[in-house]
Amino acid sequence: MSGHLNGCQAKFQEKVPKAAYYHCASHQPNLAISKSSTVPDICCMLSYLKAVGDFFKYYPKRQLHLETTVSKVNVQRKSLGVTEVSPHKVRLMCETRWVERHTILVEFAEMHEPIVNCFETISRNSSREWNAKSVTKANELLKAILSDQFIAAFQTNLYFFVYTKPLSCLLQCSTQDILTAYKEVDVAKRVLKDIRADSSNEYDKVYVSMCTMAKLHGMEELTVPRTCSGQSLRSNIEVENPKTYWRCTTSIPFLDHLIAELSTRFSQLNQQAIKGLRLLPCNLTTLTDGEVAELYKRFHQDLPAAEAFEQEVKLQIEKWKLFPTQLPDNICETLQQANDKLYPNICTLLKLLLVIPVTTASVERGNSSLKYIKSELRTTMLQDRLNALILLFIH
């Protein structure tokens, strides 16, 4: 899609040279998180979570045994007056929608105790009802999800995903304009940078969650793996305690990767859009003559009275000087308060900026819903009914 030589972008611009390419903003956080998850401990943890989903998904007997284990755990918790486990099916790790991965992390945190108990029962196989494949795999996964590396990576990922999930959901809204979308991204980046600057105090919450998860299964505290100065394929940091070790080897690298990816991917917003947004009343005081000339050069063919564009900008600046405390900071409010007869060029330019596609999630949602509506049993459905059913299904 984004190829500037032979991709879809290039083919569009052959026909319409002024058509600017914008990457889907709701997909960008997914890519940023995906690249951030290449930290070795995080990557291994996610692969084990995927293996846990595979272990239960395609085997009804294993799934039924997990449900029985959840019931037993809830009976024990109820007698102790502890919050019961909400029963969930262990879902597969989604490869594309990283928002779903956060949901899977939350569900796994809730189901961690029943899953561990289930693996212990299968690996012991005292009833002789499990085959060798199930016993071997359960024993392997049990050791993996009780390891210090898994617990540290899991709680780190679970904690910092909280800051990116609302952003991903927000950017999928079809009513977002480009300015509001990128403002929210800047807010998320600033928060993550503040956490990074004060990582010692912020990490206390993560480490408490790690220790709680470890103690749930009889582990007194997290330990530091054996270090070796000649080993370069793993972290060999000499530290005084486990808390410092896991902060330096897992949490800080993951947070650094996440901040860098968000900064890189969202810094490449199309320059014409950024300069066009300088016409908003809240930005007019910093608008320069050079930027006005660049905007004219870019959009003059689309303007209804291009020869009066510079004069309109000056009038707009003087107008909003009279209302310094009522300056709109988004395109919709500006258009509602603007007079398209007095400022036809500015209104036209803002309308062009308003239709910049922030996300393609709505289009993809329609495509993914088609298979549920247009099935083999409905091959004679006409277009009007198909359109209506898809809209009902989506909304």
Side-chain angles (χ1 to χ4, degrees), residues 185-387:
V185 174
D186 287 337
V187 170
K189 286 193 294 185
R190 287 200 300 270
V191 170
L192 291 174
K193 287 179 180 178
D194 291 341
I195 293 173
R196 178 63 180 88
D198 191 23
S199 60
S200 299
N201 294 330
E202 190 73 21
Y203 183 70
D204 289 343
K205 303 174 185 177
V206 184
Y207 190 72
V208 168
S209 301
M210 292 180 189
C211 293
T212 303
M213 191 174 186
K215 289 179 180 178
L216 189 63
H217 303 288
M219 302 164 62
E220 291 298 327
E221 61 178 0
L222 296 179
T223 58
V224 176
R226 184 174 62 87
T227 59
C228 176
S229 59
Q231 176 62 264
S232 61
L233 299 178
R234 64 179 183 181
S235 300
N236 287 286
I237 302 174
E238 294 185 4
V239 293
E240 298 178 355
N241 53 63
K243 178 180 177 181
T244 306
Y245 178 84
W246 294 114
R247 179 172 67 88
C248 295
T249 60
T250 304
S251 294
I252 288 180
F254 176 71
L255 189 56
D256 286 341
H257 276 75
L258 185 57
I259 293 171
E261 287 292 331
L262 286 174
S263 301
T264 301
R265 294 187 179 278
F266 285 95
S267 65
Q268 298 175 358
L269 178 61
N270 189 280
Q271 292 300 310
Q272 283 73 33
I274 292 177
K275 291 169 183 172
L277 295 174
R278 302 298 295 276
L279 291 175
L280 294 178
C282 61
N283 299 327
L284 284 173
T285 54
T286 59
L287 188 65
T288 64
D289 293 339
E291 290 172 337
V292 173
E294 288 184 25
L295 284 172
Y296 175 80
K297 182 179 179 181
R298 172 71 182 175
F299 294 102
H300 71 277
Q301 293 181 349
D302 300 307
L303 302 180
E307 67 281 355
F309 178 68
E310 293 184 11
Q311 289 83 347
E312 275 188 29
V313 172
K314 292 179 180 179
L315 289 171
Q316 187 83 336
I317 293 173
E318 290 300 320
K319 170 190 171 181
W320 288 109
K321 283 182 179 179
L322 302 175
F323 310 98
T325 61
Q326 304 175 15
L327 301 178
D329 60 354
N330 62 67
I331 300 175
C332 290
E333 289 185 14
T334 304
L335 285 172
Q336 289 174 359
Q337 300 185 38
N339 189 327
D340 57 357
K341 295 182 179 178
L342 290 175
Y343 309 102
N345 295 313
I346 292 177
C347 289
T348 300
L349 199 152
L350 290 176
K351 288 176 183 177
L352 291 174
L353 296 175
L354 189 61
V355 297
I356 291 174
V358 179
T359 178
T360 59
S362 55
V363 180
E364 293 170 355
R365 207 169 285 130
N367 292 337
S368 61
S369 303
L370 185 62
K371 62 184 178 183
Y372 298 104
I373 307 298
K374 190 71 171 179
S375 64
E376 292 182 359
L377 300 177
R378 293 170 172 167
T379 54
T380 59
M381 186 188 302
L382 298 180
Q383 190 69 33
D384 290 343
R385 180 174 177 80
L386 176 64
N387 291 342

Side-chain angles (χ1 to χ4, degrees), residues 13 17 35 53 76 85 89 130 145 163 218 235 273 311 314 320 381 394:
Q13 291 181 335
K35 295 297 182 183
Q76 295 175 355
V85 177
K89 286 189 175 181
W130 302 100
I145 65 177
Y163 293 102
S235 300
Q311 289 83 347
K314 292 179 180 179
W320 288 109
M381 186 188 302
I394 294 172

Side-chain angles (χ1 to χ4, degrees), residues 27-76:
H27 190 218
Q28 292 281 40
N30 297 347
L31 295 176
I33 296 169
S34 176
K35 295 297 182 183
S36 303
S37 298
T38 55
V39 176
D41 287 344
I42 302 290
C43 186
C44 290
M45 181 273 297
L46 291 174
S47 66
Y48 281 125
L49 275 185
K50 184 177 184 299
V52 171
D54 293 337
F55 182 84
F56 290 104
K57 178 66 176 178
Y58 302 111
Y59 300 90
K61 182 179 177 181
R62 298 174 182 176
Q63 183 65 47
L64 181 61
H65 184 65
L66 177 62
E67 293 172 4
T68 305
T69 306
V70 171
S71 300
K72 292 180 180 178
V73 170
N74 281 337
V75 170
Q76 295 175 355

Side-chain angles (χ1 to χ4, degrees), residues 15-27:
K15 303 293 183 182
V16 187
K18 289 174 59 180
Y21 171 74
Y22 297 90
H23 199 289
C24 176
S26 61
H27 190 218

